[in-house]
Amino acid sequence: CVLDWDRFAVIIPPDSVVELETPASTPRDGSRTTTGVKTVLVVRVMASDTKTTARPAKIADEWFGTGTWPGTDPDEVNLRSKYRQCSYGKLSFNPAPDQPELGIKNGVVTVGIDLKLRKKTVDDTVVENHIMRALTKKIGKRNRDGYDHIAFCFPRADRNWKAYGYVGRQVTGFDDDICLAVSYQMHEIGHNLRLQHSGTIGDEYGDDSCTMGYSVNEDNTNRCFSAPKSWFLGWYADRHRSLNPLKTP
């Protein structure tokens, strides 16, 4: 085939046979599958001079819709509800199971680190390493490695980034209250699922039809993934047909 970037078109020769594949649902190395049920542990961090602003119950509600307090209505637009909606029920994110002896409730745990962060005198990589060590010490390596995704809600501080996610890996990170924004949650977890950014020519994040474009710090962002991203994730696997245009009447 020929890619015509001026017209954003794929030109297929008339004697070709077209076959489309959905690769991401079963990655070759067996990791980061994009269907089924996954567990997420969200980590609230307390440093020596600052802390993650939101309380654990608020974080759990914004990620999983657990309700902030008994008797309150749960947040209806959260990571779990949006991925379930966008994947047509093929991918669900559940909170890490409660383990009171480890301080885990509704998928959230709080850890402490002995660092002063408010004036950003410590490199963020060092901060992440301290958080990971504190988490491992608190819950154990076996428990830590048993979760599909771990999200760090960094303490409030003066930093020049909002969020990040490692492609094809377990960890995401969020700057304080950004941890509560469903648009950022979906975007960074999307990187864990091997997704890259959705952009336009000259703007890496310019596709605002997709959650892998620009993220917004809002509570109820109602946006899913673009059609190519959804196809890549394997969410159309039960609703497509492969056609040979030369043989199909």
Side-chain angles (χ1 to χ4, degrees), residues 98-249:
D98 286 358
Q99 291 185 265
E101 71 280 8
L102 300 179
I104 300 173
K105 183 178 180 180
N106 292 331
V108 181
V109 66
T110 298
V111 301
I113 57 175
D114 187 19
L115 290 175
K116 292 184 178 180
L117 305 179
R118 183 171 290 277
K119 295 183 179 180
K120 201 184 182 309
T121 57
V122 182
D123 184 83
D124 290 316
T125 302
V126 175
V127 178
E128 182 185 303
N129 289 337
H130 274 71
I131 297 172
M132 185 64 81
R133 285 199 295 269
L135 177 64
T136 304
K137 182 178 180 180
K138 184 165 188 174
I139 69 173
K141 185 177 186 300
R142 178 176 296 182
N143 285 321
R144 185 201 71 190
D145 293 344
Y147 303 117
D148 295 294
H149 301 273
I150 296 177
F152 295 149
C153 298
F154 276 64
R156 178 183 294 277
D158 181 17
R159 53 179 63 95
N160 57 6
W161 55 269
K162 298 294 186 182
Y164 65 87
Y166 294 114
V167 176
R169 294 172 61 186
Q170 182 189 36
V171 171
T172 54
F174 303 85
D175 177 26
D176 196 37
D177 64 334
I178 293 296
C179 200
L180 307 179
V182 65
S183 174
Y184 281 94
Q185 296 167 4
M186 293 182 67
H187 182 113
E188 303 309 337
I189 292 289
H191 285 313
N192 285 174
L193 300 178
R194 302 180 183 275
L195 295 181
Q196 302 291 344
H197 293 141
S198 289
T200 57
I201 294 177
D203 189 343
E204 182 181 355
Y205 299 85
D207 180 3
D208 58 9
S209 72
C210 180
T211 197
M212 296 309 292
Y214 284 105
S215 298
V216 291
N217 188 10
E218 297 175 350
D219 181 51
N220 295 325
T221 306
N222 190 22
R223 184 168 57 180
C224 286
F225 296 91
S226 63
K229 290 280 195 294
S230 295
W231 177 273
F232 175 82
L233 289 164
W235 296 341
Y236 296 162
D238 61 349
R239 59 186 71 193
H240 76 269
R241 295 178 61 192
S242 296
L243 303 176
N244 183 338
L246 301 180
K247 297 181 180 180
T248 303

